[in-house]
Amino acid sequence: MRGQVPIDTSTATGESPPWQDTRLSPAERAAALVPLMTLEEKVAQLVGVWVGADASGGGVAPHQSEMTGVEWNTVIGNGLGQLTRPFGTAPVDPVAGARSLAASQAEIVAASRFGIPAQVHEECLTGFAAWGATVYPAPLSWGAAFDPELVEEMAGQIGRSLRAAGVHQGLAPVLDVTRDYRWGRTEETIAEDPYLVGTVGAAYVRGIEGAGIVATLKHFAGYSASRGGRNHAPVEMGPRELADIVLPPFEMALRLGGPRSVMNSYAEIDGLPAGADERLLTGLLREEWGFTGTVVSDYFAVRFLQRLHGVAAEAGDAAGLALRAGIDVELPTIDTFGAPLIDAVKAGEVDEALIDRALRRVLAQKAELGLLDPGWRPLPEDVERLRLDDETGQDIALRLARQSIVLLRNTGGVLPLAAGRRVALVGPVADDPMAMLGCYTFPAHVGPHPEHGLGVEIPSLREALAALVPDLAYVPGCDITGDDTSGIAAAAAAAAGADVCVLAVGDRAGLFGRGTSGEGCDATDLNLPGVQAELVQAVLATGTPVVLVLLAGRPYALGEAAGAAAGVVCGFFPGQRGGQALAEVLTGAVNPSGRLPVSVPRDAGGLPSTYLSPPLGRSSEVSSVDPAPAFPFGHGLSYTTFEWSDAGVRGPAEWPVGGETTVEITVRNTGPRPGTEVVQLYLHDPVAQTTRPVVRLAGYARVPLEAGQAARVSFTVPADVTSFTGVRGRRVVEPGDVELRFGRSSAETAAAVRLRLTGAERQVGHDRKLLATAGVTPIAGEKAAAYGDRAGLTE
């Protein structure tokens, strides 16, 4: 104990001390413990240590001192705040990993005076990032599905798998709104629209928190708007863009999901890094929005204040800046919050009260998780039955993948693929299982480990399509990257000899230049990587009808191929069952219902811009550049047809600035087979005190209909949903004329309802109403479906 006085955890009456008393609130228990701790013990609770589980199940992996920079027994002598990614460091059998983690926790408890276990965190964006765990579709696929309920179901399953392994916190979801498709982490975003990001992200939070896991919102805030789409590059945005586009998903997730942690962004906005921004992490997040959980640093972000941003001269200065701003825990491992912070406190350069403030939050959260309870046990129940890739997870992964596939173009009846036609499959991602996976999956993030395999079965598109299409010919044509064109002629020949050619192109996810998509894998333009564009041109030139399949982490500019291909299908890293989902859509076994969460640009060289543009951000007479996309946000086709009619408003067209209105439309399946339409509601504000996007999403509903069936789709919209940041920097509901537009996409309006917001300008805040409530009522007296509740779109 290095001279410390051992703590007696019983009172004179035999009762537990207050900090172990489960009758007290977590905050009261934390407050009782803080004064008992030395400075070194306090700081130990504010750091993580990066360890890997031992494959033998015997505790921390060998050579951990090389990863932490200090010897393990020394690290845990004063206690430990967090254990970083014990399952996400190297392949380990799940049962052995859980036993190893439990052994490490027992050592931590035994080594320190208070016997407090560490809080364990893992990555979990597309599933538990562990060897052998189910790999779900990437977040862009969540957005494409337009189905918060299914995302909540997925997150609940992820949370249960984490908890069964002894993990307490998941580092997800990512709530960054897509701003520049060149950014490598576009694949981790949900969409380019804050309403879609917020509703789907809040659903993920509800699912994982409902399973008892601490959800971590990231990256707060502005990370996705980096200059030139470059990772960690400075962000140049005004306060209005920050308030109206970047921040709302975090607000929605906090209020509608209930997360207990937030992670800071690496970004600097107007010269101020988020990790040192007290107005952001304390003023806005805690004082205005009322957040009471923990703020954890993104990995190495505190040290980056010194080394990359240059706003701190020494490590202790960086630690002080982060603590003052509101960061409570430094991840992933001991660095500036170790000896540099202790020395800074002893020198009077950092107030110990800041450490106590962070410590109270950390200990309160540990109390919530049961880690301060006297009866806590390190080994989860039924650990021998632990399975991270079961039938339930695989079923959810398949359903989400199916709903996420987007049919962008279909001419001449090329899709679904007709029986008896000769089909050639070409392209570099056609027979690559990794083409289904984003960069935060275990195989892409931690691998490769050839001796262990991928850990789960991941059929490629070729494998899945061959099971449905007899005599499928296959030629890769080229690699994903590189300049080797020697295989293109053979691919063109295969296409020429077929009745239809499925051409699969796209990305390989990786980290920091080891892929074409993913963290640190940014793009200078939106051309397909390598020589894939040449392959596309050669195959199209054969005259054979081509179905272009994009398996990617970002939208790529298709140029002339967008109109030359007979069919275009898009999947955004659809997960371990994505190959099956794609094959089912191509053959017609599944009717596609995905919609684009990001626009697909037409021009690879123009500065990418999303659909949320004011009038002068669109095509105009004052510029020779037309930024219109090849396929807009919200676009997606089906193998059946839908008729929209009889749009209107219930009640008067006057809409009080403090009230709500209900608009509705009839949707009928006029085609030959069942299908799902995605009805999107957009707000158009023609005259406002600041420039506004021409349209922005204000509601949506998935509407499944049998052939010939019709339904009345309604949206009850609070006037608060129309609010924006006005000229004085305050969020307001402004009176005046508006339209609520029923859209098949952001660019295709089926009907518009003109309304007038009435009353005086009204200022609104964090307590405003955030959502439109959707309802779907089948025509002809069929039972109504409460789609607002079902889709997670009620407050």
Side-chain angles (χ1 to χ4, degrees), residues 13 60 113 156 158 160 267 284 457 478 517 608 666 715:
T13 61
V60 295
R113 285 200 302 156
I158 294 171
R160 287 185 288 274
L284 178 67
E457 293 185 9
C478 66
S517 174
T666 296
F715 293 94

Side-chain angles (χ1 to χ4, degrees), residues 82-436:
Q82 294 231 1
L83 281 171
T84 293
R85 300 192 65 187
F87 289 88
T89 302
V92 61
D93 174 79
V95 174
R99 287 194 169 279
S100 172
L101 175 57
S104 299
Q105 289 279 42
E107 292 176 358
I108 293 167
V109 169
S112 60
R113 285 200 302 156
F114 297 97
I116 301 171
Q119 188 165 324
V120 183
H121 75 262
E122 289 283 356
E123 297 286 358
C124 60
L125 186 63
T126 56
F128 187 175
W131 186 81
T134 304
V135 182
Y136 297 92
L140 277 179
S141 287
W142 314 349
F146 275 76
D147 192 341
E149 183 189 52
L150 183 52
V151 171
E152 183 174 346
E153 184 180 355
M154 174 196 71
Q157 181 70 7
I158 294 171
R160 287 185 288 274
S161 68
L162 290 165
R163 188 166 185 175
V167 178
H168 309 104
Q169 181 170 1
L171 302 187
V174 171
L175 298 182
D176 298 297
V177 179
T178 309
R179 301 301 288 158
D180 189 327
Y181 313 131
R182 297 172 298 181
W183 190 47
R185 302 189 78 167
T186 293
E187 63 168 73
E188 298 177 51
T189 67
I190 295 170
E192 66 183 50
D193 179 89
Y195 188 91
L196 184 57
V197 174
T199 51
V200 173
Y204 182 99
V205 172
R206 287 194 297 273
I208 201 166
E209 285 279 358
I213 296 296
V214 174
T216 309
L217 309 185
K218 60 184 192 181
H219 307 86
F220 192 66
Y223 189 23
S224 59
S226 57
R227 184 189 300 160
R230 293 178 58 245
N231 195 38
H232 290 220
V235 173
E236 297 173 342
M237 74 166 70
R240 188 165 287 105
E241 180 180 354
L242 179 68
D244 289 350
I245 294 178
V246 171
L247 294 178
F250 292 94
E251 277 191 280
M252 296 173 81
L254 285 168
R255 282 186 48 193
L256 308 179
R260 287 176 283 175
S261 192
V262 171
M263 175 179 280
N264 77 284
S265 162
Y266 288 128
E268 60 178 81
I269 302 176
D270 194 26
L272 183 59
D277 190 346
E278 187 174 1
R279 290 177 301 173
L280 179 71
L281 299 182
T282 297
L284 178 67
L285 180 62
R286 294 191 183 278
E287 295 172 1
E288 185 174 337
W289 289 357
F291 178 67
T292 59
T294 59
V295 174
V296 300
S297 78
D298 205 341
Y299 284 13
F300 310 108
V302 181
R303 173 65 77 167
F304 288 168
L305 296 177
Q306 176 206 9
R307 290 185 176 170
L308 301 184
H309 295 293
V311 296
E314 304 291 345
D317 300 330
L321 279 176
L323 275 172
R324 278 189 289 272
I327 289 178
D328 303 312
V329 179
E330 181 181 31
L331 298 179
T333 201
I334 299 172
D335 187 14
T336 72
F337 276 27
L341 177 58
I342 292 171
D343 291 344
V345 172
K346 291 180 176 179
E349 297 166 356
V350 174
D351 189 346
E352 190 171 349
L354 293 174
I355 292 175
D356 290 349
R357 181 180 71 172
L359 180 61
R360 285 192 294 271
R361 296 165 182 163
V362 167
L363 292 177
Q365 189 161 100
K366 286 194 171 187
E368 290 175 359
L369 294 167
L371 296 178
L372 300 188
D373 294 355
W376 178 85
R377 298 182 351 180
L379 194 65
E381 295 181 3
D382 299 325
V383 69
E384 297 299 331
R385 301 172 58 187
L386 179 61
R387 230 185 119 198
L388 301 182
D389 183 34
D390 59 17
E391 292 181 359
T392 300
Q394 293 172 21
D395 173 69
I396 296 170
L398 178 59
R399 285 188 284 129
L400 183 53
R402 285 169 172 165
Q403 290 188 190
S404 72
I405 303 301
V406 188
L407 177 61
L408 300 178
R409 178 176 168 86
N410 189 20
T411 61
V414 67
L415 291 175
L417 298 172
R421 302 191 77 183
R422 296 172 300 163
V423 179
L425 175 64
V426 304
V429 303
D431 198 29
D432 185 0
M434 294 297 292
M436 304 295 164

Side-chain angles (χ1 to χ4, degrees), residues 493-551:
D499 296 320
V500 62
C501 176
V502 176
L503 173 54
V505 296
D507 279 319
R508 178 182 293 118
L511 290 168
F512 304 109
R514 297 193 295 272
T516 59
S517 174
E519 186 172 2
C521 297
D522 309 315
T524 56
D525 59 39
L526 295 172
N527 284 307
L528 285 165
V531 295
Q532 292 184 76
E534 295 180 43
L535 174 65
V536 172
Q537 292 172 357
V539 171
L540 287 171
T542 65
T544 298
V546 173
V547 176
L548 185 62
V549 175
L550 296 170
L551 274 171

Side-chain angles (χ1 to χ4, degrees), residues 35-50:
L36 305 178
M37 304 177 81
T38 67
L39 174 62
E40 288 78 9
E41 288 170 331
K42 292 176 180 180
V43 170
Q45 291 295 322
L46 308 185
V47 297
V49 171
W50 199 330

